[in-house]
């Protein structure tokens, strides 16, 4: 038995993913218009999260937990999911994401500094 309505489940997933527009979300999932998602969000009778929709969401967003989509239980995003970065054989988890983000920002800052030096030399 579900602990939340399909509307609540879908809204929480969209919030977690930072998606604010149902039409945009629908198109990302391969629907021609936004009605598939909007109808569920409005709680229209007979409109629910189907196995097909669960497959579309988890194919597009693999970190979204299927159990949460089915029952509203557990966490929205899978825990301890390994992430393999291209060319890097280290297995990362979601817990590593903040550290990786900071490293990426530092590398971007260094790259920008180098580009500015090259640009200033060519003036």
């Amino acid at each position: 038995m579900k602990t939340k309505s399909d509307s609540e489940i879908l809204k929480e997933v969209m919030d977690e993913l930072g998606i604010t527009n149902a039409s945009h979300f629908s198109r990302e999932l391969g629907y021609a218009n936004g009605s598939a998602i909007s109808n569920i969000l409005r709680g229209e009778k007979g409109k629910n999260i189907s196995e097909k929709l669960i497959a579309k969401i988890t194919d597009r967003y693999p970190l979204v937990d299927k159990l949460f989509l089915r029952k509203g239980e557990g966490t929205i995003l899978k825990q301890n999911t390994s992430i393999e970065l291209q060319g890097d054989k280290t297995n990362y988890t979601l817990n590593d994401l903040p550290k990786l983000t900071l490293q990426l920002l530092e590398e971007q800052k260094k790259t920008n500094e180098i580009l500015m030096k090259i640009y200033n030399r060519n003036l």
Side-chain angles (χ1 to χ4, degrees), residues 13-115:
V13 168
M14 289 174 64
D15 287 346
E16 184 71 26
L17 296 172
I19 299 168
T20 57
N21 185 294
S23 294
H24 177 73
F25 189 41
S26 289
R27 284 190 298 277
E28 282 198 5
L29 298 176
Y31 292 105
N33 60 49
S35 64
I37 299 299
S38 296
N39 292 342
I40 296 170
L41 291 173
R42 284 194 301 270
E44 287 190 19
K45 189 174 183 175
K47 303 297 181 183
N48 53 19
I49 299 174
S50 65
E51 286 299 315
K52 181 179 176 182
L53 179 57
I54 289 171
K56 285 180 176 275
I57 292 171
T58 56
D59 284 350
R60 178 68 176 92
Y61 301 96
L63 294 179
V64 174
D65 193 294
K66 289 181 182 181
L67 178 65
F68 186 83
L69 288 168
R70 286 187 183 109
K71 298 186 176 190
E73 297 174 359
T75 58
I76 298 169
L77 299 179
K78 295 176 184 176
Q79 300 299 305
N80 299 322
T81 301
S82 292
I83 303 167
E84 186 178 314
L85 301 177
Q86 189 173 6
D88 187 344
K89 299 299 180 194
T90 308
N91 281 327
Y92 297 101
T93 66
L94 291 175
N95 295 333
D96 296 317
L97 197 54
K99 181 179 82 175
L100 291 170
T101 302
L102 287 175
Q103 288 175 347
L104 180 62
L105 290 172
E106 283 298 315
E107 290 299 319
Q108 186 178 19
K109 182 179 175 184
K110 290 176 188 176
T111 301
N112 287 343
E113 289 171 359
I114 292 169
L115 290 172

